[in-house]
Amino acid sequence: MIIWLNGTFGAGKTTTARELTSRIPESRLFDAEKVGEMLWHVLGTPPRDFQDWRPWRGLVVETARQLLDYVGGTLVVTQTVLQETYWQELSTGLAEAGIPVRHFLLHTDHETLVHRIRTDAAPESANAAQWRLDHLPAYRDALPWLQREAETVDTTGVPPSRVAEIVIGRLGKPGE
């Protein structure tokens, strides 16, 4: 099984994923961005986003399939996917591989997102803050399809431990 945490930068995906993997037996974090980083070494810097490379989408599906075949359990995937066609390609590929996916959208209000991005203390965040802020309009534009395709969890004012509890609580209730 895959628990896919989607949402824009600052929604709490990475921290929630750590909470989930500490609570769900035999679960592992799969950061699909690492597949994109690997492709940078082969294909160079993408013109816009590594997700635009078709091999990224196929390799994410194949990597997930191979990992689950090898270790079993649950993969918790943290990856912002804002292109509906890319999500359809990923989810179709995972379904064809026989992998059930629970897609969660971690969402918070705009002011909270801006605050989280500007105050992120991670070393790489200082350089990435403006890039993340610049991508908030794309997230806002993607919200209609994301809310249709994913189970929304509002993370505004909610600590990651509680967000993880909400996700775990919904796992027994498909589509909620």
Side-chain angles (χ1 to χ4, degrees):
M1 163 187 236
I2 288 177
I3 300 169
W4 193 294
L5 301 180
N6 203 342
T8 194
F9 313 99
K13 296 181 303 296
T14 302
T15 310
T16 299
R18 286 188 198 116
E19 289 283 340
L20 288 169
T21 56
S22 73
R23 296 169 189 227
I24 299 172
E26 297 184 32
S27 65
R28 290 163 181 78
L29 177 60
F30 172 36
D31 184 350
E33 190 163 319
K34 300 299 182 191
V35 175
E37 291 173 5
M38 183 267 305
L39 286 172
W40 282 336
H41 293 288
V42 178
L43 301 175
T45 303
R48 193 184 67 84
D49 189 316
F50 61 76
Q51 290 184 19
D52 295 336
W53 289 325
R54 190 171 28 91
W56 177 81
R57 299 183 300 278
L59 285 169
V60 167
V61 169
E62 183 59 18
T63 303
R65 185 190 68 73
Q66 295 243 356
L67 286 170
L68 288 170
D69 283 351
Y70 188 69
V71 297
T74 300
L75 290 181
V76 178
V77 179
T78 57
Q79 185 63 54
T80 301
V81 178
L82 300 181
Q83 297 292 323
E84 186 173 10
T85 56
Y86 295 173
W87 174 253
Q88 293 303 325
E89 188 175 336
L90 290 161
S91 60
T92 298
L94 293 165
E96 289 173 354
I99 303 169
V101 177
R102 292 296 294 274
H103 183 198
F104 291 93
L105 170 64
L106 303 188
H107 176 76
T108 192
D109 63 62
H110 182 76
E111 293 76 24
T112 301
L113 286 172
V114 170
H115 174 75
R116 289 178 182 173
I117 291 168
R118 288 191 173 143
T119 60
D120 189 344
E124 69 278 0
S125 294
N127 296 330
Q130 190 58 53
W131 187 89
R132 292 173 178 181
L133 291 168
D134 291 345
H135 283 75
L136 291 179
Y139 172 69
R140 185 181 55 244
D141 293 346
L143 263 177
W145 79 260
L146 284 168
Q147 291 174 325
R148 206 174 46 248
E149 292 287 327
E151 302 174 53
T152 302
V153 178
D154 189 345
T155 67
T156 307
V158 181
S161 59
R162 177 67 186 127
V163 174
E165 289 172 11
I166 293 167
V167 169
I168 290 168
R170 291 189 184 178
L171 290 176
K173 305 169 189 168
E176 186 177 296

